[in-house]
Amino acid sequence: MTYPPNVRTAPEHEQASPPATVPAPPHRGVLSTTAGRVRAAATTEPGRLQIIGAVLALLVVAFGAVTAFEVADRESAASDVVGRSQPLSADAAAVYRSLADADTAAASGFLAGAQEPKDVHDQYERDIKEASRLLVKAAANTDSATRSGQEIATLNVELPRYTGLIERARANNRQGLPLGGAYLRYANQKMSNVLLPAAERLYTAETGRLGEDNESARTWPFLSLGLGVVALAGLFWAQRRNYRRTNRFFNHGLLVATAASTVILLWLAVGHTVARSQLHAADVNGQQSLDVLNHARIDSLKARANENLTLVARGAVLTPDGKNDKYESDYTTDMKALREALGNAGGLAEDDRGKSPVEAAVTAATEWQERHRAARTTDDNGDYEGALEQIIGPKESTGRSFQQVDDALAKALAHEQDQFTRAAEDGRGALWGLSAGAAALAVLGAAAAIVGINRRLSEYR
């Protein structure tokens, strides 16, 4: 092969290699790509307007969504207060009261002799049936693994045992056998040491759950309020910016978005303030009074049962130190607790309808104690029949005084329950419609903000 002059052919091993491949630029992620586009858009006024519109719409939608979520949560808690936790607390108190009343009726019937008065027997049967019914209802609305569920299980097991002991006491009493008194005392011990403590723990657990629901419903929606302030600040800033660049006072779209956000924020603040106030009133003026009155009524029932058992036992059961009659000592303790509870109830009552029955109960309790002292003096003097008449007789007996106390407390409880229900329902009602309204207004506000920004963008086309 002939080569042109002065052209040197490189050796084969020195011949040029193919050009090296230039590496492709690294693949950019979605976030970095988006950030780049935003930075590029921010260099022009139309791009900046698009960013502002998106941020404003996002803020308003987030404000509405968070408000709807938080309000729905508080409205649900308020509904639980009205429809679940407070009724369960009231039912637990009714179980406690029914058991104590059944024990009182059993002791009263035993004292009356072999032929138990029909009205006393019927009262006992009603109390046992009511307690059983409420326990079935509570079990259906309570998780068995919870503390309340465990107490309900205990009550369901022990209540039939108690009623069995009462029936044995009655059977022996009808036959005139002293063993009846022993069965009655054993039944009272089971009631005092097992059933009533379990009922009290159930009531405490349900009342605690009521307090938690009430507190949840009253918790301030700080996130919603904070987002509302931020959204309004952003809208005001955007309108001020628009005014400084165009010398126009109003942008109708941004104005509508501001109005919608303002309505949501004011509705949220006012509605939640009213709900919080009413639920607080339901707690302070209703539930706290109910709690004190329930304990007062139970104290009176326990005092009455111990008063009756003082005559049944006739000094056979002594305090641990062996110096005093156990049932008389327990009566004194219960009456002291009753007087203290009545004093607290009087202080919590906020109107005459609440104070009047409490005052009547105080008067009847004072009379009860005076009659009890007279009956004890009669019994200590060896006149058992006279003391019995002073305890269970139809006129001027301690039984009449006890009934007056119980009737007055029942009236006070009915009034306070009405106060609680009305206040709690008003609290729940203050939140009605706010969740859906906030969502709808947020959508309207976001759309209006976008329309308002688009009107400015159209000037650049």
Side-chain angles (χ1 to χ4, degrees):
M1 180 179 292
T2 305
Y3 295 95
N6 301 324
V7 175
R8 177 177 177 273
T9 303
E12 184 176 347
H13 68 277
E14 293 182 3
Q15 291 183 3
S17 302
T21 303
V22 179
H27 176 71
R28 300 177 66 189
V30 176
L31 289 179
S32 60
T33 301
T34 303
R37 290 176 180 174
V38 170
R39 284 193 296 270
T43 60
T44 65
E45 179 61 13
R48 286 192 287 271
L49 286 173
Q50 289 179 329
I51 295 171
I52 290 171
V55 171
L56 290 177
L58 182 62
L59 277 175
V60 175
V61 168
F63 172 38
V66 172
T67 298
F69 175 79
E70 288 196 318
V71 169
D73 180 67
R74 282 149 184 78
E75 189 175 8
S76 175
S79 295
D80 284 342
V81 168
V82 176
R84 183 179 65 89
S85 51
Q86 204 283 327
L88 286 174
S89 175
D91 286 348
V95 169
Y96 196 166
R97 188 169 57 248
S98 296
L99 293 174
D101 194 43
D103 198 47
T104 300
S108 297
F110 190 93
L111 272 181
Q115 296 299 321
E116 183 178 16
K118 185 178 185 303
D119 60 334
V120 176
H121 179 78
D122 290 344
Q123 181 62 48
Y124 169 85
E125 293 293 336
R126 284 194 298 270
D127 287 332
I128 294 299
K129 288 180 180 178
E130 179 67 2
S132 300
R133 182 187 69 82
L134 291 173
L135 287 173
V136 170
K137 178 182 175 183
N141 292 279
T142 306
D143 185 352
S144 60
T146 63
R147 179 182 174 186
S148 294
Q150 293 168 2
E151 301 302 342
I152 291 169
T154 298
L155 289 166
N156 281 326
V157 169
E158 297 296 337
L159 184 56
R161 296 176 180 173
Y162 169 81
T163 56
L165 291 170
I166 292 296
E167 291 307 317
R168 291 184 182 182
R170 284 173 173 166
N172 282 275
N173 193 40
R174 283 194 294 268
Q175 298 175 51
L177 300 176
L179 192 58
Y183 276 119
L184 182 65
R185 292 194 298 272
Y186 186 34
N188 174 261
Q189 289 176 9
K190 183 168 287 292
M191 178 64 74
S192 300
N193 298 333
V194 180
L195 286 165
L196 289 183
E200 185 173 15
R201 290 191 297 269
L202 173 62
Y203 173 69
T204 300
E206 294 300 338
T207 303
R209 183 161 62 172
L210 169 60
E212 292 173 1
D213 287 341
N214 193 297
E215 187 64 29
S216 296
R218 289 162 46 197
T219 302
W220 279 105
F222 289 113
L223 185 57
S224 297
L225 293 170
L227 275 173
V229 171
V230 171
L232 283 176
L235 288 166
F236 279 120
W237 174 83
Q239 290 175 89
R240 183 172 180 273
R241 181 181 185 277
N242 182 63
Y243 168 72
R244 294 180 64 182
R245 289 177 177 271
T246 66
N247 205 32
R248 298 170 185 166
F249 280 103
F250 299 116
N251 176 295
H252 292 152
L254 294 179
L255 196 61
V256 170
T258 303
S261 298
T262 301
V263 170
I264 297 173
L265 188 61
L266 289 176
W267 191 357
L268 172 64
V270 174
H272 194 273
T273 299
V274 172
R276 182 181 173 86
S277 175
Q278 291 296 326
L279 289 168
H280 178 71
D283 179 47
V284 173
N285 300 326
Q287 183 56 34
Q288 290 185 20
S289 292
L290 286 170
D291 186 51
V292 171
L293 289 169
N294 277 320
H295 279 96
R297 197 174 186 190
I298 291 163
D299 287 333
S300 71
L301 289 165
K302 289 163 65 178
R304 179 58 178 170
N306 283 314
E307 182 179 51
N308 290 337
L309 285 166
T310 300
L311 286 182
V312 172
R314 306 189 71 173
V317 182
L318 301 177
T319 54
D321 59 12
K323 295 181 180 180
N324 300 302
D325 184 292
K326 176 186 182 302
Y327 297 116
E328 178 65 18
S329 178
D330 288 345
Y331 163 84
T332 302
T333 301
D334 294 332
M335 288 302 292
K336 182 180 179 180
L338 170 62
R339 298 302 295 263
E340 183 179 349
L342 289 175
N344 293 335
L348 289 171
E350 61 173 356
D351 55 19
D352 290 338
R353 288 184 60 195
K355 290 181 179 180
S356 179
V358 174
E359 291 171 353
V362 171
T363 301
T366 301
E367 181 184 65
W368 181 3
Q369 288 181 299
E370 292 173 353
R371 291 177 175 178
H372 177 82
R373 283 192 290 268
R376 293 309 312 143
T377 300
T378 301
D379 188 37
D380 290 340
N381 291 332
D383 185 2
Y384 177 80
E385 293 299 328
L388 186 62
E389 182 67 18
Q390 289 175 295
I391 296 294
I392 64 171
K395 295 180 180 180
E396 298 183 357
S397 65
T398 61
R400 295 291 297 170
S401 298
F402 157 73
Q403 193 59 54
Q404 290 170 356
V405 171
D406 193 64
D407 291 343
L409 288 175
K411 185 177 180 180
L413 279 164
H415 173 70
E416 297 301 335
Q417 180 64 58
D418 181 63
Q419 292 283 88
F420 175 91
T421 301
R422 286 194 288 113
E425 287 181 345
D426 288 344
R428 179 180 61 177
L431 298 175
W432 185 87
L434 177 52
S435 180
L441 286 170
V443 171
L444 173 64
I450 293 173
V451 169
I453 294 298
N454 283 341
R455 291 293 301 271
R456 284 280 293 119
L457 283 171
S458 66
E459 298 173 4
Y460 289 87
R461 294 169 187 161

